Amino acid sequence: MIDNKVSQETSQPIAYNPHVSIDCVVFGFDGEKLKILLIERTIREGDGNYSDKKLPGSIIYQDEDLDTAATRVLNELTGLKNIFLHQFHSFGDPKRTSNPRDKNWLEKTTNTKIGRIVTVGYLALIKISRKIIFESENTTARWYDVKSLSNMKLAFDHNQIAEEALKHIRHQVMLQPYMLFELLPRKFTMTQLRNLYDLILETKSDVRNFQKKMLQIDGLEQLDEVQKNVPYRAPRLYRFNKRKAKISKLKPGF
Amino acid sequence: MIDNKVSQETSQPIAYNPHVSIDCVVFGFDGEKLKILLIERTIREGDGNYSDKKLPGSIIYQDEDLDTAATRVLNELTGLKNIFLHQFHSFGDPKRTSNPRDKNWLEKTTNTKIGRIVTVGYLALIKISRKIIFESENTTARWYDVKSLSNMKLAFDHNQIAEEALKHIRHQVMLQPYMLFELLPRKFTMTQLRNLYDLILETKSDVRNFQKKMLQIDGLEQLDEVQKNVPYRAPRLYRFNKRKAKISKLKPGF
């Protein structure tokens, strides 16, 4: 009987109640590379220090709803405010906290016994020009090339969470490219747009076809301006005019 | 300092560790109406019984990952097996368990003190012909017209969860209609497809334009068969051939 099973389960020690945390996957684009925002974690081991990287994340407070927790955590760790954080997936593998290094670090920093943690993944695409507090008393945040993730062992299952976030974006961009504009400066060149598109979808678009395809997007406007301070022939600038796009389609998808 | 804050929080009573549950939103289509699968819940109150409806859901076990829990819970409550359950959103409003009726019911059935519960929402679209165990020793499952949800007060925040699931489907169908075919019989008429489309998107499609639009979908095949045992002129049958569709686009989106 399911309820009996559950009640047997609930007579288990505290570990039975998982903790719930938030992890934020924040992407930025510098015009050439897709970047991800990571926090440096330093662990004292023996006489030395071990340090690695993790996603900005933390355990939720007792009275916080998930979206509130995500906004708070990202702000506390990076200073970022007014970011549209989109919940994309929750991760609950009981083994995701099984690495002793992660477990010890958590129990030290939270001063509590940690069983398993179910984490809710949030995603944000931000202009890389956004002001970020990279160094604070407690944390160091940095932008890293997404390509370098494959050579990094992030804390917990954060490699997997970042990979899922990328898959989510890839799929959304495949269906509607609107979200690319979240990552670009307000005015951008067609080359920047193509670089970003190809980075995310891991494609190599033909210059002419790509431009033709993009110019069909409602809201993508060609400006009478060209990029300034460039050594070569200055390319034309474009901007995305949300009001002219089918906004109704923007939010739910991303 | 964030870790201190967290450690202060974690010195809180058990309620600080939320429970984590799964709730499944299962939709079916009977050819005319979009249906949702609900479980009947009966609560003894005083001398009488109060009964209402809820989504199939339960608290996860200590050693279960989220997808496993979703599959188990749906099977235990409805007998359904081998269902593609898609995680669509998690719900963590601290007030979602604040209704005393819900709280008491939970604490009785789980025989444990319940603080807050973060629930992970899963979504499934199934053929309504699927064999379901509607009556078991412990539970009663039923199909209900989705339209009737607005007049039902479901347990917890299940009205909101069902509404979010509908929004998710609407958006996905708007972007790519593939998932409609999960709800239709293997062979279906254009009218069934149009009814379903209009039900989900709350539109009234023009018969001719709709057919034209749908016939552009890769994988939608017109058969040399007509519907049997119908009083009026038998309409032609269609089927969706996944192999001819861009499968790569099917999974991630839904």
Side-chain angles (χ1 to χ4, degrees):
Chain A
M1 201 177 124
I2 177 169
D3 292 336
N4 278 347
K5 279 191 210 139
V6 172
S7 63
Q8 279 151 28
E9 291 289 329
T10 47
S11 61
Q12 298 273 3
I14 182 169
Y16 169 70
N17 287 53
H19 285 79
V20 172
S21 68
I22 296 291
D23 283 300
C24 303
V25 186
V26 181
F27 292 112
F29 177 61
D30 67 3
E32 288 177 354
K33 293 190 169 104
L34 186 64
K35 303 285 190 85
I36 181 169
L37 197 57
L38 298 176
I39 302 295
E40 190 161 284
R41 172 180 79 161
T42 303
I43 301 170
R44 181 165 300 132
E45 285 186 344
D47 308 340
N49 282 337
Y50 167 87
S51 104
D52 62 3
K53 319 273 183 301
K54 63 187 289 295
L55 295 169
S58 187
I59 288 174
I60 65 172
Y61 291 163
Q62 181 167 350
D63 55 358
E64 258 178 342
D65 109 0
L66 301 173
D67 293 356
T68 316
T71 308
R72 169 185 61 84
V73 167
L74 187 61
N75 174 260
E76 283 177 337
L77 294 173
T78 67
L80 283 164
K81 278 187 184 146
N82 310 320
I83 299 293
F84 176 53
L85 278 156
H86 165 76
Q87 189 197 119
F88 71 98
H89 198 75
S90 295
F91 301 81
D93 183 339
K95 294 182 192 61
R96 58 183 299 278
T97 45
S98 59
N99 180 337
R101 185 172 269 153
D102 293 331
K103 205 172 154 65
N104 298 339
W105 175 77
L106 260 173
E107 297 193 338
K108 268 209 198 90
T109 51
T110 62
N111 182 30
T112 186
K113 182 119 196 60
I114 298 287
R116 68 184 276 194
I117 300 185
V118 172
T119 197
V120 183
Y122 277 80
L123 183 52
L125 305 180
I126 70 173
K127 304 203 187 315
I128 205 152
S129 57
R130 288 292 296 258
K131 193 174 167 308
I132 293 175
I133 297 165
F134 289 107
E135 300 285 351
S136 76
E137 189 194 338
N138 319 306
T139 54
T140 309
R142 292 255 179 290
W143 284 114
Y144 294 87
D145 184 348
V146 162
K147 285 209 167 74
S148 65
L149 281 176
S150 49
N151 313 320
M152 273 191 230
K153 168 75 192 77
L154 301 182
F156 304 100
D157 54 355
H158 290 186
N159 286 87
Q160 184 201 343
I161 295 175
E163 188 44 50
E164 286 298 322
L166 275 170
K167 274 192 207 152
H168 183 86
I169 293 180
R170 256 177 227 130
H171 179 70
Q172 292 297 330
V173 168
M174 217 158 50
L175 298 175
Q176 55 182 19
Y178 298 114
M179 58 197 294
L180 293 174
F181 305 115
E182 305 285 329
L183 285 161
L184 289 162
R186 206 170 55 78
K187 297 172 179 182
F188 50 86
T189 67
M190 193 52 76
T191 309
Q192 287 173 320
L193 180 57
R194 196 182 67 250
N195 287 345
L196 178 58
Y197 182 93
D198 284 343
L199 269 172
I200 290 175
L201 292 189
E202 297 175 327
T203 49
K204 259 199 162 306
S205 304
D206 169 78
V207 176
R208 272 202 184 61
N209 296 342
F210 182 82
Q211 175 147 3
K212 224 194 281 165
K213 200 164 93 185
M214 287 299 130
L215 288 177
Q216 291 163 9
I217 297 173
D218 331 297
L220 184 60
E221 298 175 336
Q222 193 175 52
L223 302 173
D224 294 331
E225 297 174 51
V226 294
Q227 193 174 30
K228 293 190 181 51
N229 325 318
V230 286
Y232 41 84
R233 186 170 153 281
R236 186 183 284 280
L237 290 170
Y238 298 80
R239 78 166 173 200
F240 179 60
N241 183 338
K242 269 195 181 177
R243 255 174 284 97
K244 294 194 185 164
K246 296 188 191 62
I247 296 295
S248 66
K249 279 195 173 189
L250 299 185
K251 269 299 168 68
F254 184 74
Chain B
M1 192 175 135
I2 178 171
D3 293 334
N4 279 347
K5 279 191 210 142
V6 172
S7 64
Q8 278 150 27
E9 289 290 328
T10 47
S11 62
Q12 297 273 2
I14 181 170
Y16 170 69
N17 287 52
H19 284 79
V20 172
S21 67
I22 297 291
D23 283 299
C24 302
V25 186
V26 181
F27 292 112
F29 178 60
D30 67 2
E32 289 178 354
K33 293 189 167 103
L34 185 64
K35 303 284 189 90
I36 182 170
L37 197 57
L38 298 175
I39 302 295
E40 191 161 284
R41 172 180 79 160
T42 302
I43 301 170
R44 181 165 303 131
E45 286 186 343
D47 308 342
N49 281 336
Y50 168 86
S51 108
D52 63 1
K53 319 275 183 300
K54 62 187 289 297
L55 295 169
S58 186
I59 289 174
I60 65 173
Y61 291 163
Q62 182 167 350
D63 55 358
E64 252 177 348
D65 112 359
L66 300 173
D67 293 356
T68 317
T71 308
R72 170 187 60 84
V73 167
L74 187 60
N75 174 260
E76 283 177 337
L77 294 173
T78 68
L80 283 164
K81 277 187 183 146
N82 309 319
I83 298 294
F84 175 53
L85 278 157
H86 164 76
Q87 189 198 118
F88 72 98
H89 198 76
S90 295
F91 301 81
D93 184 338
K95 293 183 194 59
R96 58 183 300 278
T97 45
S98 59
N99 180 337
R101 186 172 268 153
D102 293 330
K103 207 170 152 65
N104 299 339
W105 176 77
L106 261 173
E107 298 195 337
K108 268 209 196 88
T109 52
T110 62
N111 182 30
T112 187
K113 180 118 196 63
I114 296 288
R116 68 185 275 195
I117 301 185
V118 172
T119 196
V120 183
Y122 278 79
L123 183 52
L125 305 181
I126 69 173
K127 303 202 188 314
I128 204 151
S129 56
R130 289 291 297 258
K131 195 177 165 308
I132 292 175
I133 298 166
F134 290 106
E135 300 285 352
S136 76
E137 190 194 336
N138 319 306
T139 54
T140 309
R142 291 256 179 287
W143 284 113
Y144 294 87
D145 184 347
V146 162
K147 287 211 166 75
S148 65
L149 281 176
S150 49
N151 314 321
M152 274 191 229
K153 167 74 191 77
L154 302 182
F156 304 101
D157 54 354
H158 291 186
N159 287 86
Q160 184 201 345
I161 296 176
E163 187 45 49
E164 285 299 321
L166 275 170
K167 274 192 206 152
H168 182 86
I169 293 180
R170 254 177 228 130
H171 179 70
Q172 292 299 329
V173 168
M174 216 158 51
L175 298 174
Q176 54 182 19
Y178 298 114
M179 59 198 298
L180 293 175
F181 305 116
E182 305 286 331
L183 286 161
L184 289 162
R186 203 169 58 78
K187 298 173 181 182
F188 50 86
T189 67
M190 193 52 77
T191 308
Q192 288 173 319
L193 180 57
R194 196 183 67 250
N195 287 346
L196 177 57
Y197 182 94
D198 284 343
L199 268 173
I200 289 176
L201 292 189
E202 297 175 328
T203 48
K204 259 199 163 306
S205 303
D206 169 79
V207 176
R208 273 202 183 63
N209 295 341
F210 181 82
Q211 173 146 1
K212 227 194 278 164
K213 198 163 96 185
M214 286 299 130
L215 289 176
Q216 291 163 6
I217 296 173
D218 331 298
L220 184 60
E221 299 175 338
Q222 194 176 52
L223 303 174
D224 294 331
E225 297 175 50
V226 295
Q227 194 174 31
K228 292 190 182 54
N229 325 318
V230 284
Y232 40 85
R233 185 169 153 283
R236 186 183 284 280
L237 290 171
Y238 297 81
R239 76 166 175 203
F240 179 60
N241 183 338
K242 269 193 178 179
R243 256 174 284 97
K244 293 195 183 161
K246 296 190 190 63
I247 296 294
S248 66
K249 280 197 174 187
L250 298 188
K251 268 298 168 70
F254 182 73

